[in-house]
Amino acid sequence: MTRATWLVLAAWVAGFTVGTVFHLIELLTQGFDVYGSMPGWLRVFWVSLTVIDPFVVILLLLRSRAGIWLGCAVMVADVVVNWSVALSIPGATGPGLITQPLFLIFLLGTAPLLWKAFPSPAADPPRHPLA
């Protein structure tokens, strides 16, 4: 991988690590009743990011193309959900309404670079475990 590709990968990993830490801090400080005033499905979504975000990081560090797909899907969902909440629930705002769409644009713009740099599953066919 080129230096530019490593920097892009580092930015992806940093972004999802920040998300992980943010959701983890909220869980540790507020418990499982975090986001208590929000609908149940929304609470489940936000709490699930505590597991999904680090999973994206692991896939990216393993240079798995699945991490690119999952990372983009997670951020699209997160931006759509957060903006929907902000537009429908008065006072439900935060800095993520600006930073997350910017991060999503970065992800979508740099995903092709990572895709080309990550090995194709077909490039390394699976070997028999006893071989």
Side-chain angles (χ1 to χ4, degrees):
M1 286 197 316
T2 67
R3 180 179 170 93
T5 306
W6 280 110
L7 291 173
V8 166
L9 178 58
W12 279 58
V13 168
F16 284 101
T17 300
V18 166
T20 300
V21 170
F22 180 78
H23 289 288
L24 191 57
I25 288 171
E26 287 186 327
L27 273 175
L28 292 174
T29 59
Q30 299 175 45
F32 283 103
D33 197 37
V34 65
Y35 322 115
S37 63
M38 298 294 166
W41 70 268
L42 190 56
R43 294 169 58 198
V44 168
F45 173 74
W46 282 332
V47 169
S48 73
L49 293 175
T50 310
V51 175
I52 297 170
D53 284 353
F55 186 60
V56 170
V57 169
I58 291 166
L59 289 172
L60 291 170
L61 292 175
L62 292 173
R63 295 178 51 202
S64 169
R65 287 182 170 180
I68 300 168
W69 281 110
L70 184 59
C72 289
V74 165
M75 284 312 302
V76 166
D78 207 11
V79 167
V80 168
V81 166
N82 290 345
W83 270 95
S84 298
V85 168
L87 294 172
S88 63
I89 300 175
T93 61
L97 292 176
I98 303 300
T99 59
Q100 289 174 344
L102 293 175
F103 186 55
L104 174 59
I105 291 167
F106 172 76
L107 294 183
L108 295 176
T110 58
L113 177 69
L114 289 183
W115 189 266
K116 289 177 189 171
F118 284 13
S120 167
D124 190 20
R127 290 188 273 170
H128 189 279
L130 300 177

